[in-house]
Amino acid sequence: MEFWLLSLPLDKTSVASLDKLKRTIAKTNLATCGKLSIPELKVGTLDNLLSVSDNLCQLDTLTESVIKKTCHFMGEVMEQASDKVLENGLVNGDHSGVRPSPSKAYFQALRVDLVKYVTKFQWDRAKYPTSLPLRVLADNINKQVSQVDAEFKSRASAYNSIRNSLHSLERKAEGNLHTRRLNDIVTREDLLESEYLTTLLVVVARGNYKQWDSTYESFSLFVVPRSSRMLYEDTESGVFSVILFRRAVSDFRAKAKQSKFTVREYNLEVEDKHLQEIQRLNLDKKEQYGVFVRWLKVNFKEVFVAWIHLKALRVFVESVLRYGLPVSYQAFLLQPDRKHVKKLREELSSLFMHLEPTAMCNKADASYDIPEIIQQEYFSYICFQINTNMLDTGK
């Protein structure tokens, strides 16, 4: 969903054009339109305004990137916990028997909240006092966003570390019998271990079972006769145990390899430690999940609120720079119909083309030449986009 935050001077021509735009919108449904209330802020000098304008442009880019990062990660983390949908209160009143994905359910509700916030925007004077200079307001937003960004990176790194370690251990329980862990196949009772005897585990292809049965005793004089027993098989291979004297292990391994039988390395104590580590990491991940998702939800909304105030700041600054003093402009919010975006742009361009000479003379458009900032389309009227499509990462 996209909004256009516009600003127009309150001269007679612009007011008449605005009235015509409203009538056109009402007839054609090109968009919905409403006023946006922005308080009068401390203007300062022209040089100060130009500097603040440049800073706000860069801060806008940073803030949007933080919103996208936190939003994307929130959707990713929540998708991996689909069995916790109801537990975490992400779905309410759904008795259809079909659960939407947790991120989709949450983002659907979040989108409603954010759209409501944008369309009913009121400047938060407690958080952003209008008595403060514009530069101080911008610095405060910058500190807030930068702090969230730094903490997000730290928390995401810690969460990913646990998740990756767990994934690495869990992957060892997958795959074929030549590579996967065997702790869920082999029990302590399957292994005979003493001062002189030991048990080896051998992977044998299903087509070679008869060959194994007829040859394994000949691999060494110290193999216990008829000690082989199948412990497990899948579609490709089987795992067999065999008992022999410890002194014969090296010879047995060499002979088995020649016959294309794989002797697996296996240590029950090591496997138990792996299992305990998986259990520990699962517990840590579960604990981190709840804390991290709550943090993401709160801080995503906080940064979004800061972003909308930042857009309002940009509208105020650009309106003074383009339309001059005393401050006399009207900000309003358009929500364009997706099917008629091009037509709406054409209508706006036609109605407010008279602003072009004034706009070009009053501002050298410095904010569009900042290195590493994506070029923004220039209009004769002031227009900033508020795009909530980043929420689509939660599908």
Side-chain angles (χ1 to χ4, degrees):
M1 189 173 294
E2 185 177 50
F3 295 94
W4 296 351
L5 184 50
L6 273 65
S7 171
L8 296 167
L10 294 178
D11 60 86
K12 290 183 179 180
T13 304
S14 297
V15 170
S17 297
L18 179 57
D19 290 339
K20 184 177 180 181
L21 174 66
K22 291 178 179 178
R23 291 193 297 271
T24 301
I25 286 175
K27 292 178 181 178
T28 61
N29 294 320
L30 293 177
T32 58
C33 179
K35 289 184 178 180
L36 190 89
S37 178
I38 300 175
E40 186 166 343
L41 304 169
K42 300 185 77 171
V43 175
T45 65
L46 178 61
D47 288 343
N48 179 62
L49 279 180
L50 286 169
S51 176
V52 169
S53 174
D54 292 346
N55 291 338
L56 290 176
C57 181
Q58 296 177 73
L59 182 54
D60 194 342
T61 302
L62 169 65
T63 305
E64 185 171 359
S65 73
V66 173
I67 289 173
K68 288 179 178 178
K69 284 192 295 186
T70 54
C71 182
H72 176 80
F73 204 86
M74 182 160 51
E76 182 181 319
V77 170
M78 291 167 67
E79 276 298 312
Q80 294 171 354
S82 57
D83 59 328
K84 302 180 185 297
V85 178
L86 296 180
E87 177 184 299
N88 289 281
L90 302 178
V91 179
N92 296 308
D94 181 7
H95 304 290
S96 64
V98 179
R99 292 180 179 179
S101 69
S103 62
K104 184 175 182 180
Y106 177 73
F107 284 111
Q108 285 174 342
L110 180 60
R111 183 180 285 104
V112 172
D113 290 343
L114 298 187
V115 168
K116 182 178 179 181
Y117 178 80
V118 173
T119 55
K120 298 184 179 298
F121 174 76
Q122 294 291 326
W123 185 275
D124 189 340
R125 295 175 183 269
K127 187 176 290 187
Y128 307 106
T130 56
S131 59
L132 294 177
L134 292 171
R135 185 176 297 280
V136 175
L137 289 173
D139 287 344
N140 288 346
I141 294 177
N142 186 35
K143 289 176 184 177
Q144 179 188 0
V145 173
S146 297
Q147 182 177 344
V148 170
D149 191 30
E151 190 171 352
F152 166 75
K153 291 175 181 176
S154 176
R155 286 176 177 268
S157 177
Y159 186 82
N160 277 332
S161 178
I162 294 174
R163 186 170 61 179
N164 292 339
S165 296
L166 182 59
H167 181 62
S168 178
L169 287 173
E170 288 177 338
R171 282 185 63 186
K172 293 179 180 178
E174 301 171 353
N176 60 45
L177 293 174
H178 291 83
T179 58
R180 62 167 292 182
R181 282 210 325 269
L182 303 176
N183 62 300
D184 59 338
I185 294 173
V186 181
T187 66
R188 193 173 296 276
E189 290 72 24
D190 295 322
L191 305 175
L192 174 62
E193 301 292 335
S194 68
E195 183 179 356
Y196 299 106
L197 296 175
T198 188
T199 302
L200 295 182
L201 302 176
V202 185
V203 179
V204 180
R206 293 188 68 148
N208 297 333
Y209 286 176
K210 289 184 178 180
Q211 180 190 350
W212 165 257
D213 288 336
S214 63
T215 61
Y216 79 89
E217 293 180 7
S218 66
F219 291 168
S220 172
L221 294 174
F222 298 98
V223 175
V224 177
R226 295 186 296 278
S227 62
S228 175
R229 186 164 63 91
M230 179 188 284
L231 303 182
Y232 180 85
E233 70 175 340
D234 60 17
T235 57
E236 299 176 354
S237 310
V239 176
F240 291 79
S241 63
V242 59
I243 301 171
L244 65 158
F245 282 81
R246 291 183 181 275
R247 59 187 292 184
V249 168
S250 294
D251 288 342
F252 186 92
R253 284 181 179 275
K255 293 289 181 62
K257 186 176 181 180
Q258 291 175 8
S259 298
K260 298 185 179 179
F261 301 136
T262 303
V263 178
R264 288 292 310 272
E265 294 287 346
Y266 187 80
N267 184 297
L268 194 60
E269 284 69 30
V270 172
E271 293 295 330
D272 284 345
K273 287 181 180 179
H274 284 159
L275 185 59
Q276 291 171 11
E277 180 68 4
I278 288 175
Q279 292 171 342
R280 184 189 69 80
L281 288 171
N282 267 314
L283 182 61
D284 287 349
K285 184 183 176 184
K286 183 178 180 180
E287 292 175 349
Q288 286 292 322
Y289 171 83
V291 173
F292 194 22
V293 168
R294 283 193 294 273
W295 184 91
L296 286 167
K297 289 179 180 180
V298 170
N299 286 277
F300 172 84
K301 289 183 178 180
E302 286 295 314
V303 175
F304 186 87
V305 167
W307 191 43
I308 303 306
H309 280 79
L310 178 60
K311 294 289 188 182
L313 269 178
R314 294 194 70 187
V315 167
F316 178 83
V317 171
E318 297 306 313
S319 296
V320 174
L321 287 172
R322 284 208 194 185
Y323 308 142
L325 291 172
V327 178
S328 180
Y329 73 95
Q330 176 62 58
F332 60 99
L333 198 66
L334 284 183
Q335 185 179 344
D337 185 289
R338 290 183 181 181
K339 298 178 182 179
H340 303 299
V341 169
K342 183 178 179 181
K343 187 174 181 181
L344 180 60
R345 281 295 185 198
E346 292 173 350
E347 185 72 20
L348 288 168
S349 178
S350 174
L351 287 170
F352 301 107
M353 62 188 308
H354 66 279
L355 296 175
E356 183 68 17
T358 305
M360 294 302 291
C361 290
N362 277 304
K363 185 161 183 353
D365 203 22
S367 63
Y368 299 98
D369 296 323
I370 301 173
E372 300 180 0
I373 297 295
I374 297 174
Q375 291 290 316
Q376 299 183 32
E377 190 174 358
Y378 180 84
F379 304 105
S380 58
Y381 48 91
I382 294 170
C383 180
F384 295 110
Q385 294 182 338
I386 299 173
N387 197 333
T388 61
N389 287 339
M390 77 275 292
L391 296 179
D392 292 340
T393 60
K395 285 183 179 179

